[in-house]
Amino acid sequence: MVKSFALLAVFTSVVAAANAPIREVTSDAAVVSGMPVPAFSKGYIYWAGLEPLRIYTADGHPQPHISTPNGRVEAIAADTDGTLALAWTSETTGGIDLHDPSGALVKTVQTGRYRPTHLSFAEDHSLWCLGWQVDASNAHMPDKADYMIIRRILADGQLAGAYLARSLFPRGLEPGAESWQQSNRITVSHNGVGLWVYSGMYGAKTEWVELDLNGNLTGRWRLDQFVNDLRVAFTSDGHVFVYHRDLDGRNPGVHTLDRASSTWQMVQSAPTGYLVSADGEALIFADFGLGPIHLRWYQHP
C-alpha cells in the first residue's frame, strides 16, 4: 500500500510538472466592463479597429508610442528583433507600417487595392500577409477577378511573392476578409505558413490551410465542427491547436490536428484558461475577468 501511494505521488508530481506554466506575465493591459476582447500575437496584447490603438508587449508593458497610420489598424505582428508591423486599411488604399522597437516609423509599404488584414513574421524577417483585394471599379466590393490572398514582403519592403488564389475557395466571404480583433489568422512556423480563413457564406464556415515557405499549398482541413468561441494557435514546430466551446458556451476544449488521419484529436488535460496564441513552441493561455490580463505559457503536448 505504501508503495502504491509512493507511485501515485510520483505520477501526480510528473503530471503537475507537465501542466505547469513555463512563464507567467500579469500584463498592464486590463479588461473592463463593456470592453471588447483584445487580440493577441506572441504574447503581445492589442486593441485595434474600432478602439484607439493600444499595444502591450509580451513582458506586459505598454508599447512605446506609435504614430497613427493613415487608416484603421487591422492587425499587428512582432518580429524577434523588436520590429513591429501594423496592417491598416482606408477607404482608398491599404498599407503596412513598420516600426522599430522605440516605436519610430521606419517604412510604409503601400499595398494599393490589396487590403492586408493579418500579419506574421518569418524567421528570415520577411513579413507574410493575409488579406483581400477590392475591385478596380468599386473599392467597397471584392475584386471580380481572381487574385492571390497571400503576400510575402521582404525586410526592405519589396514584394517577394503572392500566393493562394481566391478561386480555390467557395463563394461567400473573402477568405482573408477583415475580422476585427481576430488573432492568429496567419502564422509562420519553421517550415510553413498556417492560415485560419473564411470558407463559405458566413463566419462559422472556416478552414485551416497550410503552405510551404515557397507558397505552395500543402494541406486543407475544415473547422466547421468548431463553431463557438473558436481560436487557433500554430506553433513554430508545426503543431496546430484549436480552442472552442460547446454550442451552449460551456465545456471548453482543445483539439490538435492529426495530419496522418486528417482528424482533430482532443487534447487531454489541456491547461485551464483561454487559448490565445502560440509563441515559438509554447501555447499561451489567458485568464479573462475584469482587471489585468494574466498570461501563461505552456510547452505544447
Side-chain angles (χ1 to χ4, degrees), residues 99-124:
H99 296 260
D100 69 17
S102 74
L105 179 64
V106 175
K107 186 184 298 293
T108 295
V109 179
Q110 299 288 343
T111 61
R113 288 195 294 127
Y114 178 78
R115 305 297 201 250
T117 51
H118 304 280
L119 304 171
S120 181
F121 280 103
E123 292 178 351
D124 65 358

Side-chain angles (χ1 to χ4, degrees), residues 241-260:
F241 297 87
V242 298
Y243 171 98
H244 64 99
R245 294 178 183 269
D246 292 342
L247 288 173
D248 61 2
R250 301 177 182 274
N251 301 318
V254 177
H255 283 71
T256 187
L257 175 62
D258 180 348
R259 293 182 179 82

Side-chain angles (χ1 to χ4, degrees), residues 28-71:
D28 292 338
V31 174
V32 299
S33 180
M35 176 183 287
V37 174
F40 297 83
S41 175
K42 298 179 182 177
Y44 280 69
I45 301 172
Y46 66 93
W47 282 267
L50 301 181
E51 290 281 315
L53 178 63
R54 284 174 290 161
I55 304 172
Y56 296 83
T57 63
D59 62 4
H61 302 305
Q63 169 71 24
H65 175 72
I66 287 178
S67 57
T68 304
N70 295 320

Side-chain angles (χ1 to χ4, degrees), residues 113-163:
R113 288 195 294 127
Y114 178 78
R115 305 297 201 250
T117 51
H118 304 280
L119 304 171
S120 181
F121 280 103
E123 292 178 351
D124 65 358
H125 305 293
S126 63
L127 183 65
W128 290 72
C129 314
L130 169 64
W132 65 293
Q133 187 160 293
V134 302
D135 191 70
S137 61
N138 186 343
H140 297 285
M141 297 296 294
D143 204 336
K144 299 185 185 71
D146 202 10
Y147 66 91
M148 301 297 178
I149 70 172
I150 302 296
R151 302 285 191 273
R152 178 172 173 257
I153 297 170
L154 299 179
D156 63 2
Q158 297 300 307
L159 179 66
Y163 317 102

